């Protein structure tokens, strides 16, 4: 829903329901922030717009000036970073226990196992990418090729490549175009799969990511989609001349940070 070209394909009714859901969720998630610790706002300050925060505050990638932000002290952020998996597991456990004690519609009780299954369900990792593949195929048919960032193989035919998620869907469940690159099909299916490159391999691949992003810019449709998708995740990507290079650098750093924080298997 955050991606403009995908959101436009949904019905007005669904989009209205989505906006209502986001508003209700935003109100609900302020409660544990407000009541953390003794009293109100004793651990965290009340959320404010990003453009009203001092310049010393570091935003998450993709933060927009009008976004409402919760500022986390540096020491607490470091603790969250180190303990993220334990915090997540504890939240899941406590929420399952809580929901099990709540009476649902028709006086039905949901078991903690049912709740856990819903909370940990992952999106289908075969979500159609037909539009993206069609655009890449058009470039290949125009004799514009890609280089696999992991094997350095030249990809010139549709049967040579998979459109791979740099960060696997199990870790980062979105199809933003900066995270989708043509890669060697055999290597992707038998070696990479749901793994993430280690830091050394990522650093070596950074120029090839930049080259692929530049190749995307040879298609007006992909160029527009790339800039929209990249803006959702990263800010300050520069002009046309530097866009691909800066995006590749930011993407590599983001992928490495997420993989380290989530203890993703590397190759």
């Amino acid at each position: 829903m955050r991606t403009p070209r995908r959101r436009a394909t949904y019905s007005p009714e669904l989009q209205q329901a989505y906006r209502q859901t986001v508003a209700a969720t935003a109100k609900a998630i302020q409660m544990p922030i407000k009541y953390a610790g003794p009293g109100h706002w004793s651990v965290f300050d009340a959320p404010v717009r990003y453009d009203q925060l001092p310049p010393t505050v570091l935003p998450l990638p993709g933060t927009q000036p009008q976004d409402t932000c919760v500022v986390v002290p540096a020491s607490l952020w470091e603790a969250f970073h180190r303990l993220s998996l334990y915090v997540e597991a504890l939240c899941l456990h406590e929420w399952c226990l809580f929901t099990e004690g709540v009476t649902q519609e028709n006086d039905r009780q949901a078991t903690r196992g049912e709740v856990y299954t819903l909370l940990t369900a992952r999106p289908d990792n075969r979500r159609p990418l037909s539009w993206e593949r069609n655009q890449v195929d058009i470039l290949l048919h125009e004799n514009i090729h890609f280089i696999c960032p992991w094997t350095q193989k030249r990809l010139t035919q549709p049967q040579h490549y998979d459109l791979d998620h740099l960060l696997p869907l199990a870790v980062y469940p979105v199809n933003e175009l900066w995270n989708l690159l043509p890669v060697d099909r055999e290597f992707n299916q038998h070696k990479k799969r749901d793994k993430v490159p280690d830091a050394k391999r990522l650093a070596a691949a950074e120029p090839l990511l930049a080259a692929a992003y530049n190749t995307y810019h040879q298609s007006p449709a992909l160029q527009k989609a790339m800039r929209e998708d990249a803006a959702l995740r990263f800010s300050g990507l520069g002009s046309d001349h530097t866009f691909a290079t800066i995006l590749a650098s930011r993407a590599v750093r983001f992928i490495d940070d997420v993989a380290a924080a989530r203890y993703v298997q590397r190759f």
Side-chain angles (χ1 to χ4, degrees), residues 221-262:
L222 285 174
Q223 180 182 20
K224 182 175 183 295
M226 168 66 74
R227 289 188 171 274
E228 288 178 348
D229 287 7
L232 295 172
R233 180 55 51 189
F234 307 107
S235 59
L237 291 175
S239 63
D240 291 342
H241 180 66
T242 60
F243 176 85
T245 301
I246 295 176
L247 176 58
S249 175
R250 301 281 293 279
V252 163
R253 187 162 66 249
F254 181 77
I255 292 167
D256 194 47
D257 286 347
V258 171
R262 303 286 299 179

Side-chain angles (χ1 to χ4, degrees), residues 32-203:
I33 300 169
K34 180 178 181 179
Y35 296 108
H40 299 168
W41 308 117
S42 59
V43 174
F44 305 99
D45 292 332
V48 296
R49 282 172 50 119
Y50 175 56
D51 56 11
Q52 296 174 359
L53 291 170
T56 52
V57 175
L58 299 177
L60 289 173
T63 302
Q64 301 299 318
Q66 71 277 9
D67 288 345
T68 302
C69 301
V70 176
V71 178
V72 181
S75 59
L76 192 55
W77 180 264
E78 176 63 24
F80 285 161
H81 184 75
R82 287 186 287 106
L83 301 174
S84 59
L85 290 185
Y86 300 102
V87 172
E88 179 182 24
L90 180 60
C91 288
L92 289 172
H93 175 72
E94 293 297 327
W95 190 259
C96 291
L97 293 180
F98 167 76
T99 310
E100 186 178 46
V102 175
T103 301
Q104 310 296 325
E105 293 182 1
N106 301 322
D107 294 325
R108 179 179 179 275
Q109 298 297 125
T111 68
R112 68 190 68 176
E114 292 172 326
V115 179
Y116 182 83
T117 298
L118 291 171
L119 290 176
T120 57
R122 296 295 185 183
D124 180 7
N125 65 358
R126 292 295 173 261
R127 179 181 173 89
L129 296 170
S130 54
W131 182 85
E132 291 84 353
R133 282 197 63 91
N134 286 340
Q135 298 300 320
V136 171
D137 288 352
I138 289 172
L139 290 175
L140 295 179
H141 289 314
E142 293 174 349
N143 294 321
I144 298 172
H145 69 272
F146 290 85
I147 302 294
C148 174
W150 318 131
T151 66
Q152 289 76 54
K153 287 186 179 179
R154 197 167 181 261
L155 308 175
T156 60
Q157 300 295 327
Q159 64 269 24
H160 290 170
Y161 80 92
D162 281 340
L163 201 56
D164 178 50
H165 292 82
L166 302 180
L167 267 175
L169 275 175
V171 179
Y172 186 77
V174 295
N175 290 325
E176 292 167 2
L177 191 55
W178 65 267
N179 193 42
L180 291 167
L181 284 187
V183 303
D184 176 38
R185 175 168 292 171
E186 182 177 355
F187 183 87
N188 184 56
Q189 295 182 2
H190 295 96
K191 178 72 173 180
K192 180 180 184 294
R193 307 179 82 175
D194 284 339
K195 302 174 185 176
V196 171
D198 59 30
K200 183 178 179 180
R201 194 187 293 265
L202 269 175

Side-chain angles (χ1 to χ4, degrees), residues 16-31:
Q16 175 64 19
Y18 173 75
R19 288 191 291 269
Q20 292 172 346
T21 302
V22 169
T25 304
K27 182 178 180 181
I29 63 177
Q30 281 202 24
M31 297 301 102

